[in-house]
Amino acid sequence: MSRFFAAAFLLLLVVPARAEDGYNLWLRYRPMEASAQAQYRPVATDIVSEGTSPSLDAAKSELTRGLSGLLDKPVSAGAVAEGAVIIGTPASSPLVAGLKLPLTGLGREGYLIRSTSLVGRAVTVIAANSDIGVLYGSFAFLRLIQTRQSVAHLDIASAPRLKLRLLNHWDNLDGTIERGYAGHSIFDWQKMPDYMDPRYTMMARADASVGINGISVNNVSADVWMLSSLYLDKLAALADVLRPYGIRVYVAARFSAPIELGKLKTADPNDPQVQAWWQKEVDGIYRRIPDFGGFVVKANSEGQPGPRDYNRTQAEGANVIADAVAPHGGTVFWRAFVYSEKDPTDRAKQAYNEFKPLDGKFRDNVFVQTKNGAIDFQPREPAHPMFGAMPKTNLALEVQLTKEYLGQTTHLVYLPVLFKEVLDWDTMAKGKGSTVAKVIDGSLEGHDQSAMVGVSNIGDDRNWTGAQFSQADWYGFGRLAWDPDLSADGIAREWLGMTFTNDPAFVNQIVPLMIASREAVVDYMTPLGLHHQFATSHHYGPGPWVSDLSRPEWNPVYYNRADAKGLGFDRTPTGSDATSQYAPPLAKLFAGPNIPDRYLTWFQHVAWDHKMKSGRTLWDEMIAHYDTGIAAVAQMRKTWAAMKPYVDDQRWSQTAAFLAVQQKEAQWWRDACIAYFQTFSHMPMPTGHAPPPHDLAYYEAIYFPNVPGAGPHKPNDPIE
Ligand code: BDP
């Protein structure tokens, strides 16, 4: 026994003091360096919170936890002393009411943080119109300290630009996650409602800290059980946990639920029995969850049922559910990700063709939830042509945080760069400056409603997102949904400071690494407008040669169109004419000779020896891009290697190992794609660029069963 204790003691001694596994995300609240503590201690002596409510209590406990951790001293609820932090709303706090602060423009969720004086004492006040605004303000105040900004003379007012800031979890009820690369679902439905895992609260804190105010809990390819009373009771318990953090729950609904659950003969949205069924179902949900957010619906897409099955429009489908939730203040997110194997039209055009004629036909409480691009979350896509083209419809932007097509768990790709590219994209719908951000925040067309949605990257991995750096995508998504004008650079800086260290020697190296990581993945996977070159079904690794899938638009060859003449999908008026779905100046640009290189083969079929802006041929240019991507990853590895002194062992080592995988796989992508495309171009490798080490057959034979996120290995899949 005593030997056991001796061994345990020894173990304690050798465990590095700074070991961290990432569980606490950006809410670590580790003690600051002594000089910073000295600076901040006088301005955060006590927390004064009058009144009580679940959200106010959450704010108070977050401040207590945060400040006592950061300042390394007990900070408790106290009186109005010098340096106190006073939180509240005019309704909850006579102190706040007495200050007569300008809160009117801040709406329900905005907050104000101000340095002021009260009874002759210098204090900081965090005030809002609602308790949830106070919670958001508290997180913002902590963020200032966590990133070592001055809190001495504050006068900050902040309100979200977008009203609904949602994560869509694609979690199946059996615990697997569609396209999930961070373990299993954190939602342990089997044990709910009796056991509510403390992780739900931790997740809620993280979501609220970046302003996320809704989550849909199940896969969009929806299991009808989610709408059963068995699961709704569980959902109600989850809603209770999330409510104090301002998070409403939503559910992905299966369009055919009236048949499967309701035992009706049809799910035709125009059938009065179907309408009555939705009403009854929805009333039952609101009885359990009075602030239920509403539904996400994937209809007539990838085998899901939908209104088309009854010759009804997408609008008729959406409206029947929207009418049911409207009296309760609920919302329907109707996904625009609709394409059909029976429609020979270019897949990139199908959603626009189907939805654009329905502009103005959707109810006010419907969002048409539109992916950032017209295909599917590729490393780079031009913005979806529907943005700017549906002025009478609420459009929500959907982006994917989980890296289905961006290397999955092990590739470091900082997604806020991609999100910003879309938000800043100028649709030109109403002249210059008609950005996607202005379409979705409602300002371009004067809409009241506004929303942005991210497909979650959260699982039950200890670090939540599978890789440390993928946490930044969750963080950045929330920050951008709150304020699309923030910069990717600034968000990276904040996140690094909160998650690792504010030391400029670290941050000044890693911010550029993160920013460059997005272009790197485009370069080594799909340069110059290539898209959907992924291996079958699981999308892990390259498969540009794949041509045998049942649906033409699931095959990479459908997209690359490589042939003896050249490469790329002709979407100009001589081809599919997808270019004309964009506003005229963009349509002209994309169909013409001045098309930016980055979209070249997305919109045009180009000869292998086509002379690029650089003077190189398309072939040489493409190879240069692949190799630039690999060089960028090599540089990322080198930079990270030098960061060892600034990062705890566990997080440093995992990231270093993942970067090594990324470099290996970047090489694989490059070699496999070149080996394939060379069978068409028959052109030599440009000087200084090595040929792929293997022949094409070698790359074609690479096979991976059981890649996460794509369902189980099927019995008749090949065994190698
Ligand atoms: C694709 C995924 C698929 C999803 C689909 C969707 O491959 O698993 O179900 O998107 O968004 O990216 O519905």
Side-chain angles (χ1 to χ4, degrees):
M1 205 55 176
S2 65
R3 280 214 358 247
F4 170 80
F5 280 121
F9 182 66
L10 215 82
L11 207 74
L12 275 178
L13 283 182
V14 295
V15 170
R18 295 165 63 220
E20 288 196 53
D21 58 14
Y23 179 77
N24 289 314
L25 298 161
W26 49 90
L27 304 175
R28 292 156 57 249
Y29 306 136
R30 293 285 169 113
M32 301 193 283
E33 56 286 1
S35 57
Q37 281 180 24
Q39 181 194 338
Y40 290 101
R41 277 185 179 202
V43 282
T45 50
D46 276 306
I47 298 157
V48 182
S49 167
E50 297 172 303
T52 167
S53 79
S55 298
L56 274 181
D57 295 348
K60 191 161 71 176
S61 89
E62 196 70 33
L63 282 169
T64 310
R65 181 201 302 259
L67 294 175
S68 34
L70 290 160
L71 303 177
D72 205 14
K73 74 172 181 84
V75 175
S76 53
V80 185
E82 182 76 13
V85 180
I86 299 163
I87 66 172
T89 65
S92 71
S93 162
L95 281 173
V96 170
L99 287 167
K100 306 226 175 317
L101 297 163
L103 298 174
T104 29
L106 295 175
R108 202 184 71 82
E109 297 182 308
Y111 58 81
L112 190 138
I113 312 178
R114 198 176 261 198
S115 311
T116 182
S117 83
L118 210 68
V119 288
R121 302 195 170 111
V123 297
T124 305
V125 56
I126 303 175
N129 292 312
S130 76
D131 296 347
I132 193 65
V134 175
L135 179 66
Y136 288 150
S138 302
F139 277 116
F141 181 66
L142 285 166
R143 184 163 59 235
L144 292 174
I145 302 181
Q146 285 172 285
T147 53
R148 309 293 187 270
Q149 296 173 61
S150 166
V151 294
H153 307 286
L154 294 176
D155 190 5
I156 296 174
S158 180
R161 274 261 299 278
L162 300 170
K163 283 190 178 152
L164 300 177
R165 307 171 297 279
L166 261 60
L167 285 183
N168 283 181
H169 294 256
W170 283 1
D171 296 18
N172 296 311
L173 302 186
D174 66 1
T176 57
I177 306 179
E178 171 106 358
R179 310 307 176 184
Y181 310 106
H184 273 69
S185 173
I186 66 160
F187 302 123
D188 190 353
W189 296 109
Q190 174 68 21
K191 298 195 190 70
M192 287 193 239
D194 303 300
Y195 173 66
M196 301 306 288
D197 192 321
R199 287 191 80 142
Y200 308 148
T201 308
M202 177 65 194
M203 179 191 75
R205 287 175 51 220
D207 279 346
S209 76
V210 291
I212 290 165
N213 66 1
I215 63 166
S216 73
V217 296
N218 60 317
N219 191 353
V220 283
S221 297
D223 188 328
V224 76
W225 272 99
M226 197 64 230
L227 295 171
S228 68
S229 50
L230 177 71
Y231 276 85
L232 292 175
D233 288 342
K234 297 166 188 286
L235 185 68
L238 185 63
D240 289 343
V241 175
L242 305 184
R243 188 170 296 111
Y245 297 90
I247 299 164
R248 295 168 90 178
V249 294
Y250 295 69
V251 155
R254 190 167 160 82
F255 192 76
S256 54
I259 301 174
E260 288 132 355
L261 263 187
K263 308 287 173 229
L264 299 182
K265 293 223 161 44
T266 176
D268 180 349
N270 290 7
D271 183 308
Q273 275 190 306
V274 170
Q275 293 163 356
W277 184 85
W278 279 110
Q279 194 62 67
K280 196 163 147 263
E281 170 73 15
V282 162
D283 291 346
I285 298 178
Y286 279 94
R287 258 196 308 281
R288 291 177 176 88
I289 311 170
D291 57 353
F292 177 67
F295 297 107
V296 186
V297 189
K298 171 178 180 176
N300 292 125
S301 170
E302 303 184 333
Q304 296 301 306
R308 251 202 224 146
D309 307 349
Y310 309 95
N311 289 321
R312 307 295 182 202
T313 67
Q314 299 286 337
E316 287 170 308
N319 291 345
V320 63
I321 308 180
D323 288 342
V325 293
H328 304 280
T331 305
V332 170
F333 287 86
W334 190 263
R335 298 179 81 233
F337 183 67
V338 169
Y339 64 102
S340 160
E341 76 275 29
K342 296 191 190 95
D343 187 346
T345 316
D346 174 5
R347 173 173 165 191
K349 293 181 70 178
Q350 292 187 27
Y352 177 104
N353 285 351
E354 182 149 2
F355 281 84
K356 164 92 176 142
L358 300 173
D359 189 26
K361 299 264 179 350
F362 292 90
R363 299 280 191 264
D364 279 352
N365 62 332
V366 174
F367 282 93
V368 172
Q369 179 168 317
T370 309
K371 289 189 182 183
N372 57 279
I375 297 298
D376 196 10
F377 300 137
Q378 300 300 294
R380 167 166 285 131
E381 297 194 32
H384 204 300
M386 274 168 60
F387 293 111
M390 300 198 45
K392 288 182 258 162
T393 305
N394 299 318
L395 289 190
L397 167 64
E398 178 182 318
V399 293
Q400 193 182 42
L401 279 53
T402 190
K403 293 196 177 80
E404 175 180 357
Y405 296 101
L406 289 100
Q408 306 183 354
T409 322
T410 48
H411 293 213
L412 195 166
V413 182
Y414 174 57
L415 295 180
V417 176
L418 186 163
F419 304 159
K420 277 298 278 186
E421 190 172 291
V422 185
L423 289 165
D424 293 346
W425 172 280
D426 196 345
T427 69
M428 310 283 283
K430 294 179 106 183
K432 261 194 171 10
S434 309
T435 60
V436 170
K438 285 190 191 154
V439 172
I440 62 162
D441 77 3
S443 62
L444 193 68
E445 301 294 346
H447 289 296
D448 239 21
Q449 309 299 327
S450 51
M452 181 163 165
V453 178
V455 178
S456 156
N457 59 356
I458 305 169
D460 70 355
D461 269 10
R462 193 57 201 162
N463 66 21
W464 295 89
T465 53
Q468 304 296 335
F469 273 79
S470 299
Q471 296 178 357
D473 304 326
W474 180 6
Y475 181 88
F477 166 78
R479 299 287 288 135
L480 283 172
W482 183 279
D483 182 0
D485 285 344
L486 293 176
S487 71
D489 187 284
I491 293 170
R493 204 162 273 282
E494 272 178 18
W495 176 79
L496 286 168
M498 297 163 82
T499 306
F500 291 104
T501 166
N502 289 285
D503 191 329
F506 174 80
V507 176
N508 292 341
Q509 293 292 317
I510 302 303
V511 170
L513 177 156
M514 291 168 76
I515 299 293
S517 66
R518 186 329 182 75
E519 205 58 37
V521 74
V522 173
D523 277 337
Y524 67 70
M525 283 187 183
T526 49
L528 301 173
L530 283 172
H531 50 292
H532 223 311
Q533 298 304 292
F534 296 82
T536 301
S537 152
H538 50 59
H539 303 153
Y540 173 62
W545 48 81
V546 175
S547 62
D548 59 348
L549 302 180
S550 58
R551 296 176 60 154
E553 76 289 353
W554 280 353
N555 289 303
V557 298
Y558 173 92
Y559 298 98
N560 66 48
R561 311 254 157 152
D563 58 19
K565 281 199 219 117
L567 181 71
F569 198 135
D570 184 3
R571 293 188 164 119
T572 70
T574 59
S576 81
D577 199 24
T579 48
S580 63
Q581 291 183 336
Y582 290 88
L586 293 185
K588 193 165 158 231
L589 179 70
F590 296 150
N594 294 325
I595 180 170
D597 284 359
R598 48 173 50 182
Y599 302 122
L600 183 61
T601 69
W602 184 287
F603 288 114
Q604 301 187 15
H605 189 75
V606 188
W608 293 111
D609 61 358
H610 169 84
K611 198 155 178 213
M612 303 289 293
K613 296 191 181 72
S614 64
R616 288 193 277 247
T617 62
L618 169 70
W619 173 249
D620 287 2
E621 182 82 18
M622 190 167 88
I623 287 160
H625 274 271
Y626 283 123
D627 282 334
T628 305
I630 293 169
V633 180
Q635 182 55 48
M636 286 159 66
R637 269 187 90 183
K638 212 165 134 211
T639 306
W640 187 252
M643 293 299 111
K644 199 164 169 31
Y646 305 98
V647 184
D648 51 281
D649 232 29
Q650 193 171 340
R651 293 188 298 169
W652 183 86
S653 309
Q654 191 194 57
T655 304
F658 284 3
L659 282 166
V661 175
Q662 183 172 6
Q663 191 176 6
K664 196 169 66 182
E665 295 188 348
Q667 189 71 45
W668 167 35
W669 264 94
R670 175 251 192 220
D671 291 338
C673 292
I674 291 176
Y676 176 68
F677 292 133
Q678 202 165 26
T679 64
F680 298 96
S681 81
H682 298 295
M683 287 167 82
M685 295 298 289
T687 344
H689 297 267
H694 302 282
D695 63 4
L696 179 59
Y698 170 90
Y699 299 106
E700 287 181 340
I702 296 175
Y703 177 76
F704 297 93
N706 297 312
V707 176
H713 180 76
K714 310 215 178 48
N716 54 354
D717 282 350
I719 296 175
E720 317 207 0

